[in-house]
Amino acid sequence: MRSIWKGSLAFGLVNVPVKVYSATESHDITFHQVHAKDGGRIKYQRVCTECGEVVPYQEIDKAYDSEDGERVVLTDEDFEKLPAAEKHEIPVLQFVPTEQIDPILFEKSYYLEPDSSSPKAYGLLAATLEQSDRTALVHFTLRQRTRLAALRTRDGLLILQTLLWPDEVRAAEFESLDDIEKPKQRELAMAETLVESMSDDFDPTEFTDEYQVELRTLIDEALARGGEKVFQVAEPDTGEEDAEVLDLVAALQRSVDAAGKKVPSGSSSGGKKSSNEDEDEDAKKKAPAKKTASKSSATKKSPAKKSTAKKTASKSSATKKSPAKKTAAKKTSGERKGA
């Protein structure tokens, strides 16, 4: 188990360090609302009835509507002014006879574990409550709410049971009870005989929640049978999250953005850029690269053209010069013959 509260019991001048654990848990099968057609989960949004907009969690306050139709809004600052802040002490108010506490007042039970290397004070208080047959009334503050609670023992373990406040118990005023006829002695005797025949020691393990057992059987049979009512629960990630999760992510993102603005531009965190900025810079880098490439290619091609032209020119000049040589040779041979 995991403790939900840590503090101390104030027993006169004695402080008893303790940890508080939930003593009960629910095993009821829980259900979700789904679309009957395809089994999709039903989700809700916080929509303002005045403007029709979806309201983020951090913009939601609490309000009280009076009987006169007036509404007063209270903020977190207002609640912080109240005296019922989180207290880490359970003061013992008084010790009362156990039978004087009406069971209708009992609400929720908690286990108290000693939270010190020497639990002598814890054992002393538990033994005192057991021998005196009394229950300690205490104040217990949990989650910004102060409750009246009963502190008793169970096999040497301290049990804390929160109690309802007296004004939380309704008065039983039924007119149908006023005219009930008093039972006759014979009827009482027969009823007592029936009670005796059904009497036994209380053993909670002998009783089971038949509805939950049958419900579990119904679910298991439906899963084994398959068919149109069984859907695959692994839904694709559509990017949707619970409202509180989205609000938390948005708040964290704003905090990161605000912190990024305060960081100097020379720092590594301040030098980070968005994906759009990176894309723009990449585009700028790529554009000059293309121009350079085209220039370089043009530069490489132009000498090739010149060299080709030179070769062509040399060939043509060689072609023109060779007939000239032949002509000169003919003239020389003619002159020799004339001589």
Side-chain angles (χ1 to χ4, degrees):
M1 291 188 295
R2 181 180 179 182
S3 63
I4 61 172
W5 189 92
K6 291 180 67 175
S8 61
L9 273 167
F11 174 39
L13 297 178
V14 178
N15 282 340
V16 183
V18 292
K19 294 180 181 179
V20 178
Y21 301 82
S22 294
T24 59
E25 59 184 356
S26 176
H27 288 163
D28 289 350
I29 298 174
T30 58
F31 295 94
H32 304 294
Q33 290 184 334
V34 298
H35 186 192
K37 183 178 180 180
D38 52 21
R41 287 282 299 273
I42 303 299
K43 294 187 176 181
Y44 296 93
Q45 291 180 318
R46 301 179 180 91
V47 180
C48 177
T49 58
E50 294 293 330
C51 63
E53 296 181 357
V54 178
V55 182
Y57 186 77
Q58 63 269 20
E59 295 182 9
I60 296 178
D61 286 330
K62 296 179 180 179
Y64 173 80
D65 293 346
S66 67
E67 297 178 356
D68 300 332
E70 293 181 331
R71 175 174 295 170
V72 56
V73 179
L74 300 178
T75 62
D76 293 338
E77 290 76 12
D78 296 325
F79 286 103
E80 290 176 357
K81 298 176 183 178
L82 298 176
E86 190 73 17
K87 297 179 180 178
H88 291 275
E89 186 178 78
I90 304 176
V92 176
L93 306 177
Q94 57 183 209
F95 295 91
V96 299
T98 302
E99 66 274 6
Q100 290 184 0
I101 301 178
D102 193 334
I104 197 174
L105 296 173
F106 290 129
E107 191 176 17
K108 187 171 175 57
S109 301
Y110 299 91
Y111 292 141
L112 269 61
E113 178 192 16
D115 189 26
S116 64
S117 57
S118 178
K120 185 176 181 179
Y122 181 97
L124 174 62
L125 179 58
T128 302
L129 290 174
E130 186 173 358
Q131 292 183 8
S132 62
D133 196 19
R134 288 181 175 266
T135 297
L137 294 181
V138 301
H139 272 162
F140 178 45
T141 303
L142 180 65
R143 300 185 183 95
Q144 301 296 325
R145 181 185 172 190
T146 301
R147 298 166 171 85
L148 183 67
L151 184 66
R152 62 182 182 87
T153 60
R154 178 190 179 192
D155 299 329
L157 178 67
L158 290 177
I159 305 292
L160 185 72
Q161 289 183 283
T162 55
L163 303 175
L164 297 173
W165 296 102
D167 58 352
E168 292 180 314
V169 179
R170 294 178 176 179
E173 298 177 351
F174 302 106
E175 296 181 356
S176 58
L177 296 176
D178 298 336
D179 300 330
I180 293 183
E181 183 180 356
K182 187 177 181 180
K184 298 178 181 179
Q185 191 63 33
R186 181 183 177 186
E187 294 172 343
L188 282 175
M190 293 181 62
E192 290 176 358
T193 302
L194 179 60
V195 169
E196 288 295 332
S197 65
M198 299 176 63
S199 296
D200 201 350
D201 293 331
F202 177 63
D203 184 4
T205 60
E206 295 181 357
F207 304 92
T208 57
D209 189 346
E210 295 294 338
Y211 177 81
Q212 293 295 322
V213 173
E214 293 296 332
L215 181 59
R216 172 55 64 186
T217 302
L218 176 65
I219 294 174
D220 292 340
E221 291 177 353
L223 289 173
R225 185 167 55 251
E228 297 180 354
K229 294 184 178 181
V230 178
F231 300 90
Q232 185 65 34
V233 296
E235 299 179 357
D237 186 9
T238 59
E240 295 182 358
E241 297 182 70
D242 292 339
E244 292 188 14
V245 175
L246 289 175
D247 295 336
L248 176 60
V249 172
L252 290 173
Q253 184 61 49
R254 285 195 297 272
S255 301
V256 171
D257 295 340
K261 293 178 181 179
K262 296 178 182 180
V263 177
S265 58
S267 63
S268 59
S269 60
K272 291 184 179 179
K273 300 175 182 178
S274 63
S275 59
N276 294 333
E277 293 177 351
D278 292 339
E279 290 176 1
D280 294 340
E281 287 194 1
D282 292 341
K284 291 179 182 178
K285 291 179 180 179
K286 289 179 181 178
K290 290 181 179 178
K291 292 181 180 178
T292 306
S294 61
K295 288 181 180 179
S296 61
S297 61
T299 306
K300 291 179 180 179
K301 288 180 180 178
S302 55
K305 290 180 180 179
K306 290 181 180 179
S307 61
T308 306
K310 287 180 180 180
K311 290 179 180 179
T312 306
S314 61
K315 286 181 180 180
S316 60
S317 60
T319 306
K320 291 179 181 178
K321 288 179 180 178
S322 51
K325 289 180 180 180
K326 288 179 181 180
T327 305
K330 288 180 180 180
K331 287 181 179 181
T332 304
S333 61
E335 289 176 355
R336 288 177 179 176
K337 288 179 181 182

